[in-house]
Amino acid sequence: MSPEREPSIPDVIDLGLTSDCGSCFGLCCVALPFAASADFAIDKDAGRPCPNLQQDFRCGIHSDLRPRGFTGCTVFDCFGAGQKVSQVTFDGQDWRRVPGTARQMFDVFPVMRQLHELLWYLAEALTRPAARPVHADLRAALEKTERLTQGSAEELMELDVPAHRGEVNALLLRTSELVRAEVPGRKKERRGADLMGARLKGANLRGANLRGAYLIAADLKGADLRTADLIGADLRAADLAGSDLTGALFLTQSQLNAAKGDAATELPRSLSRPAHW
Protein backbone atom coordinates (compact mmCIF):
# COMPACT_ATOMS: atom_id res chain seq x y z
CA MET A 1 0.00 0.00 0.00
CA SER A 2 1.40 3.40 -0.97
CA PRO A 3 1.85 5.94 1.81
CA GLU A 4 -0.97 8.44 2.32
CA ARG A 5 -0.26 11.71 0.58
CA GLU A 6 -0.34 14.73 2.87
CA PRO A 7 -2.22 17.72 1.37
CA SER A 8 -0.04 20.77 0.87
CA ILE A 9 -0.59 24.51 0.56
CA PRO A 10 -1.42 24.25 -3.20
CA ASP A 11 -4.33 21.96 -2.27
CA VAL A 12 -5.85 24.81 -0.27
CA ILE A 13 -5.48 27.07 -3.30
CA ASP A 14 -7.10 24.41 -5.50
CA LEU A 15 -10.15 24.51 -3.24
CA GLY A 16 -10.58 28.18 -4.11
CA LEU A 17 -10.05 29.39 -0.54
CA THR A 18 -7.94 32.40 -1.51
CA SER A 19 -9.97 35.56 -2.10
CA ASP A 20 -10.09 36.77 -5.70
CA CYS A 21 -11.81 40.16 -5.56
CA GLY A 22 -11.49 40.56 -9.33
CA SER A 23 -13.89 37.63 -9.82
CA CYS A 24 -16.39 38.83 -7.20
CA PHE A 25 -19.24 41.31 -7.46
CA GLY A 26 -18.19 43.25 -4.38
CA LEU A 27 -20.35 41.08 -2.16
CA CYS A 28 -18.59 41.88 1.12
CA CYS A 29 -19.08 45.58 0.30
CA VAL A 30 -22.83 45.14 -0.15
CA ALA A 31 -24.20 42.05 1.58
CA LEU A 32 -22.71 42.67 5.03
CA PRO A 33 -23.69 45.45 7.49
CA PHE A 34 -21.28 47.51 9.54
CA ALA A 35 -21.57 50.20 12.17
CA ALA A 36 -19.58 53.38 12.71
CA SER A 37 -16.81 52.38 15.11
CA ALA A 38 -13.05 52.01 15.39
CA ASP A 39 -13.33 49.56 12.47
CA PHE A 40 -15.66 51.50 10.16
CA ALA A 41 -16.08 55.21 9.49
CA ILE A 42 -19.80 55.00 8.72
CA ASP A 43 -22.95 52.96 9.27
CA LYS A 44 -24.11 50.68 6.46
CA ASP A 45 -27.10 48.37 6.33
CA ALA A 46 -26.92 44.84 4.93
CA GLY A 47 -27.78 44.83 1.24
CA ARG A 48 -26.81 48.47 0.69
CA PRO A 49 -23.63 49.11 -1.33
CA CYS A 50 -20.78 50.85 0.47
CA PRO A 51 -20.42 54.37 -1.00
CA ASN A 52 -16.80 53.52 -1.82
CA LEU A 53 -17.81 50.65 -4.12
CA GLN A 54 -17.24 51.56 -7.77
CA GLN A 55 -19.17 50.43 -10.84
CA ASP A 56 -16.52 47.80 -11.61
CA PHE A 57 -17.06 46.34 -8.10
CA ARG A 58 -13.68 47.57 -6.88
CA CYS A 59 -13.05 49.72 -3.83
CA GLY A 60 -12.41 53.39 -4.60
CA ILE A 61 -10.23 53.87 -1.51
CA HIS A 62 -8.56 50.45 -1.33
CA SER A 63 -5.06 51.85 -0.81
CA ASP A 64 -6.25 54.23 1.92
CA LEU A 65 -8.73 52.11 3.86
CA ARG A 66 -6.94 52.31 7.20
CA PRO A 67 -6.27 56.05 7.24
CA ARG A 68 -9.85 56.66 6.03
CA GLY A 69 -11.30 54.73 8.98
CA PHE A 70 -12.11 51.40 7.31
CA THR A 71 -9.73 49.12 9.19
CA GLY A 72 -12.43 46.44 9.32
CA CYS A 73 -12.29 46.08 5.54
CA THR A 74 -8.57 45.29 5.67
CA VAL A 75 -9.18 42.59 8.28
CA PHE A 76 -12.03 40.75 6.54
CA ASP A 77 -11.34 37.60 4.53
CA CYS A 78 -14.11 35.69 2.76
CA PHE A 79 -11.98 32.55 2.17
CA GLY A 80 -12.90 32.74 -1.51
CA ALA A 81 -16.65 32.66 -0.90
CA GLY A 82 -17.21 35.85 -2.89
CA GLN A 83 -16.01 34.49 -6.21
CA LYS A 84 -17.75 31.14 -5.59
CA VAL A 85 -21.13 32.84 -5.16
CA SER A 86 -20.50 35.23 -8.05
CA GLN A 87 -19.12 32.80 -10.61
CA VAL A 88 -20.55 29.42 -9.58
CA THR A 89 -23.80 29.82 -7.66
CA PHE A 90 -25.00 32.68 -9.90
CA ASP A 91 -23.02 31.71 -13.00
CA GLY A 92 -21.40 35.12 -13.49
CA GLN A 93 -24.64 37.14 -13.37
CA ASP A 94 -24.03 40.24 -11.29
CA TRP A 95 -26.65 41.89 -9.09
CA ARG A 96 -26.48 45.19 -10.97
CA ARG A 97 -27.24 43.77 -14.42
CA VAL A 98 -29.69 41.21 -13.07
CA PRO A 99 -31.18 42.97 -10.02
CA GLY A 100 -33.58 40.10 -9.43
CA THR A 101 -30.63 38.06 -8.14
CA ALA A 102 -29.54 40.63 -5.56
CA ARG A 103 -31.50 39.53 -2.49
CA GLN A 104 -30.67 35.86 -2.94
CA MET A 105 -27.03 36.58 -3.70
CA PHE A 106 -26.62 38.69 -0.57
CA ASP A 107 -28.31 36.04 1.57
CA VAL A 108 -26.20 33.21 0.15
CA PHE A 109 -22.86 34.98 0.62
CA PRO A 110 -22.64 34.65 4.45
CA VAL A 111 -23.60 30.98 4.19
CA MET A 112 -20.92 30.32 1.59
CA ARG A 113 -18.33 32.14 3.67
CA GLN A 114 -18.99 29.85 6.63
CA LEU A 115 -18.66 26.77 4.42
CA HIS A 116 -15.40 28.04 2.93
CA GLU A 117 -14.04 28.77 6.40
CA LEU A 118 -14.78 25.16 7.35
CA LEU A 119 -13.02 24.00 4.19
CA TRP A 120 -9.95 26.00 5.26
CA TYR A 121 -9.87 24.32 8.67
CA LEU A 122 -10.45 20.85 7.23
CA ALA A 123 -7.75 21.30 4.60
CA GLU A 124 -5.30 22.37 7.29
CA ALA A 125 -6.25 19.45 9.55
CA LEU A 126 -5.40 17.07 6.71
CA THR A 127 -1.84 18.45 6.59
CA ARG A 128 -1.23 17.36 10.20
CA PRO A 129 0.50 13.94 10.40
CA ALA A 130 -0.50 13.60 14.06
CA ALA A 131 -4.17 13.69 13.01
CA ARG A 132 -3.76 10.63 10.77
CA PRO A 133 -6.24 8.58 12.89
CA VAL A 134 -9.04 10.93 11.76
CA HIS A 135 -7.80 11.74 8.24
CA ALA A 136 -10.45 9.55 6.61
CA ASP A 137 -13.22 11.32 8.51
CA LEU A 138 -11.68 14.70 7.81
CA ARG A 139 -11.47 13.95 4.11
CA ALA A 140 -15.10 12.81 4.03
CA ALA A 141 -16.15 16.00 5.82
CA LEU A 142 -14.15 18.11 3.38
CA GLU A 143 -15.74 16.38 0.39
CA LYS A 144 -19.22 16.81 1.89
CA THR A 145 -18.61 20.49 2.59
CA GLU A 146 -17.32 21.08 -0.92
CA ARG A 147 -20.46 19.40 -2.33
CA LEU A 148 -22.61 21.71 -0.23
CA THR A 149 -20.85 24.77 -1.72
CA GLN A 150 -21.89 23.55 -5.18
CA GLY A 151 -25.59 23.63 -4.30
CA SER A 152 -28.15 26.01 -5.74
CA ALA A 153 -28.97 29.32 -4.08
CA GLU A 154 -32.17 27.80 -2.71
CA GLU A 155 -30.32 24.79 -1.27
CA LEU A 156 -27.68 26.99 0.34
CA MET A 157 -30.29 29.24 1.94
CA GLU A 158 -32.05 26.22 3.46
CA LEU A 159 -28.84 24.65 4.76
CA ASP A 160 -28.56 24.07 8.51
CA VAL A 161 -25.11 25.58 8.85
CA PRO A 162 -24.85 25.31 12.67
CA ALA A 163 -25.57 21.56 12.49
CA HIS A 164 -22.93 21.02 9.82
CA ARG A 165 -20.45 23.20 11.68
CA GLY A 166 -21.04 21.09 14.78
CA GLU A 167 -20.16 17.90 12.90
CA VAL A 168 -16.99 19.45 11.50
CA ASN A 169 -15.98 21.03 14.79
CA ALA A 170 -15.99 17.63 16.51
CA LEU A 171 -13.33 16.50 14.02
CA LEU A 172 -11.34 19.71 14.38
CA LEU A 173 -11.37 19.35 18.15
CA ARG A 174 -10.07 15.79 17.86
CA THR A 175 -7.39 17.01 15.45
CA SER A 176 -6.35 19.63 17.97
CA GLU A 177 -6.10 17.06 20.75
CA LEU A 178 -3.96 14.73 18.65
CA VAL A 179 -1.60 17.46 17.43
CA ARG A 180 -1.15 19.17 20.80
CA ALA A 181 -0.59 15.81 22.53
CA GLU A 182 2.76 15.64 20.74
CA VAL A 183 3.95 18.77 22.55
CA PRO A 184 5.91 17.67 25.63
CA GLY A 185 4.93 18.85 29.07
CA ARG A 186 1.77 20.32 30.50
CA LYS A 187 -0.22 22.55 28.14
CA LYS A 188 -2.31 25.53 29.20
CA GLU A 189 -6.09 25.13 28.87
CA ARG A 190 -7.55 28.59 28.26
CA ARG A 191 -10.46 27.82 25.96
CA GLY A 192 -12.82 30.81 25.81
CA ALA A 193 -10.77 32.64 28.46
CA ASP A 194 -11.01 36.39 28.95
CA LEU A 195 -7.43 37.47 28.29
CA MET A 196 -8.16 40.97 27.05
CA GLY A 197 -5.15 43.15 27.64
CA ALA A 198 -3.35 40.27 29.35
CA ARG A 199 0.39 40.60 29.92
CA LEU A 200 1.72 37.51 28.21
CA LYS A 201 5.04 38.82 26.96
CA GLY A 202 7.41 35.90 26.42
CA ALA A 203 4.82 33.42 27.73
CA ASN A 204 5.20 29.72 26.98
CA LEU A 205 1.89 28.96 25.24
CA ARG A 206 3.20 26.14 23.12
CA GLY A 207 0.43 23.63 22.48
CA ALA A 208 -2.04 25.73 24.51
CA ASN A 209 -5.77 25.47 23.99
CA LEU A 210 -6.82 29.05 23.17
CA ARG A 211 -9.95 28.18 21.20
CA GLY A 212 -12.31 31.16 21.31
CA ALA A 213 -10.12 33.04 23.80
CA TYR A 214 -10.48 36.83 24.02
CA LEU A 215 -6.96 38.10 23.40
CA ILE A 216 -7.96 41.64 22.42
CA ALA A 217 -5.01 44.01 22.94
CA ALA A 218 -3.08 41.28 24.77
CA ASP A 219 0.69 41.68 25.02
CA LEU A 220 2.02 38.55 23.32
CA LYS A 221 5.37 39.96 22.32
CA GLY A 222 7.92 37.16 22.05
CA ALA A 223 5.38 34.54 23.17
CA ASP A 224 5.80 30.92 22.13
CA LEU A 225 2.51 30.02 20.37
CA ARG A 226 3.84 27.07 18.42
CA THR A 227 1.12 24.48 17.84
CA ALA A 228 -1.35 26.47 19.97
CA ASP A 229 -5.00 26.01 18.97
CA LEU A 230 -6.22 29.48 17.98
CA ILE A 231 -9.49 28.64 16.26
CA GLY A 232 -11.93 31.49 16.88
CA ALA A 233 -9.51 33.40 19.14
CA ASP A 234 -10.05 37.16 19.04
CA LEU A 235 -6.66 38.71 18.27
CA ARG A 236 -7.78 42.26 17.58
CA ALA A 237 -4.94 44.65 18.44
CA ALA A 238 -3.01 41.80 20.10
CA ASP A 239 0.72 42.51 19.94
CA LEU A 240 2.45 39.56 18.28
CA ALA A 241 5.79 41.26 17.71
CA GLY A 242 8.55 38.68 17.83
CA SER A 243 6.15 35.87 18.74
CA ASP A 244 6.43 32.38 17.27
CA LEU A 245 3.22 31.16 15.59
CA THR A 246 4.93 28.34 13.71
CA GLY A 247 2.49 25.48 13.31
CA ALA A 248 -0.30 27.33 15.14
CA LEU A 249 -3.54 25.42 14.71
CA PHE A 250 -6.41 26.89 12.70
CA LEU A 251 -5.01 30.42 12.57
CA THR A 252 -6.52 32.49 9.74
CA GLN A 253 -5.37 35.46 7.71
CA SER A 254 -8.21 37.51 9.14
CA GLN A 255 -6.96 36.95 12.68
CA LEU A 256 -3.47 38.06 11.69
CA ASN A 257 -4.85 41.10 9.87
CA ALA A 258 -6.62 42.16 13.07
CA ALA A 259 -3.46 41.84 15.18
CA LYS A 260 -0.17 43.74 15.36
CA GLY A 261 3.18 42.19 14.58
CA ASP A 262 6.56 42.83 13.04
CA ALA A 263 9.23 41.34 10.80
CA ALA A 264 10.35 39.06 13.64
CA THR A 265 6.95 37.39 14.05
CA GLU A 266 7.19 33.77 12.90
CA LEU A 267 4.14 32.70 10.86
CA PRO A 268 2.72 29.45 9.47
CA ARG A 269 3.72 28.94 5.83
CA SER A 270 0.11 29.15 4.64
CA LEU A 271 -0.36 32.75 5.85
CA SER A 272 1.08 36.10 4.78
CA ARG A 273 2.54 38.91 6.84
CA PRO A 274 -0.04 41.74 6.85
CA ALA A 275 1.06 44.84 4.96
CA HIS A 276 0.33 47.14 7.91
CA TRP A 277 2.85 45.32 10.15
Side-chain angles (χ1 to χ4, degrees):
M1 181 181 294
S2 60
E4 181 181 12
R5 173 180 170 272
E6 298 294 346
S8 59
I9 300 306
D11 292 317
V12 173
I13 297 173
D14 291 343
L15 285 168
L17 305 182
T18 302
S19 299
D20 178 7
C21 296
S23 298
C24 177
F25 301 138
L27 297 185
C28 65
C29 306
V30 187
L32 305 179
F34 50 74
S37 62
D39 295 319
F40 297 100
I42 60 174
D43 292 315
K44 189 192 81 65
D45 296 328
R48 180 165 66 88
C50 173
N52 298 310
L53 185 67
Q54 301 180 124
Q55 287 301 308
D56 62 357
F57 300 113
R58 295 183 179 275
C59 176
I61 62 168
H62 185 265
S63 59
D64 297 309
L65 283 167
R66 284 182 171 264
R68 296 282 289 272
F70 290 88
T71 299
C73 296
T74 68
V75 170
F76 182 78
D77 181 13
C78 76
F79 297 96
Q83 68 257 27
K84 175 70 76 63
V85 173
S86 300
Q87 304 300 330
V88 178
T89 313
F90 287 89
D91 197 27
Q93 298 183 88
D94 75 68
W95 51 271
R96 280 190 172 132
R97 294 183 181 180
V98 190
T101 66
R103 186 68 270 160
Q104 266 195 334
M105 191 177 293
F106 302 156
D107 288 343
V108 165
F109 175 63
V111 175
M112 188 69 79
R113 184 191 180 277
Q114 292 185 70
L115 292 176
H116 270 229
E117 182 180 12
L118 292 177
L119 284 174
W120 174 274
Y121 294 142
L122 288 165
E124 180 190 332
L126 280 165
T127 68
R128 303 284 181 163
R132 192 178 297 276
V134 291
H135 273 190
D137 291 334
L138 287 166
R139 189 169 290 107
L142 185 146
E143 292 171 355
K144 177 182 178 180
T145 305
E146 174 61 17
R147 286 197 302 272
L148 291 174
T149 70
Q150 300 291 336
S152 66
E154 292 76 14
E155 289 170 335
L156 286 162
M157 290 169 63
E158 293 175 0
L159 181 64
D160 187 345
V161 178
H164 182 62
R165 180 180 287 274
E167 294 174 7
V168 171
N169 190 56
L171 292 172
L172 299 180
L173 182 58
R174 181 58 180 149
T175 297
S176 174
E177 292 169 346
L178 290 167
V179 173
R180 293 187 300 109
E182 293 196 330
V183 177
R186 189 173 181 180
K187 278 80 69 177
K188 290 181 172 61
E189 289 290 331
R190 305 307 304 272
R191 181 174 183 175
D194 182 353
L195 297 170
M196 291 190 288
R199 298 177 180 177
L200 298 167
K201 183 177 180 179
N204 178 11
L205 295 169
R206 188 178 181 189
N209 183 358
L210 294 168
R211 294 169 68 89
Y214 296 94
L215 288 158
I216 302 169
D219 182 358
L220 288 161
K221 291 191 291 290
D224 187 351
L225 289 154
R226 286 177 292 170
T227 323
D229 186 344
L230 290 166
I231 195 168
D234 194 335
L235 294 172
R236 283 177 292 170
D239 193 341
L240 299 171
S243 63
D244 192 346
L245 290 153
T246 305
L249 277 158
F250 307 128
L251 181 65
T252 67
Q253 190 64 51
S254 182
Q255 287 172 298
L256 284 182
N257 293 345
K260 299 185 295 183
D262 62 11
T265 306
E266 297 289 337
L267 303 177
R269 290 183 304 162
S270 58
L271 300 174
S272 303
R273 197 174 307 278
H276 64 276
W277 285 14

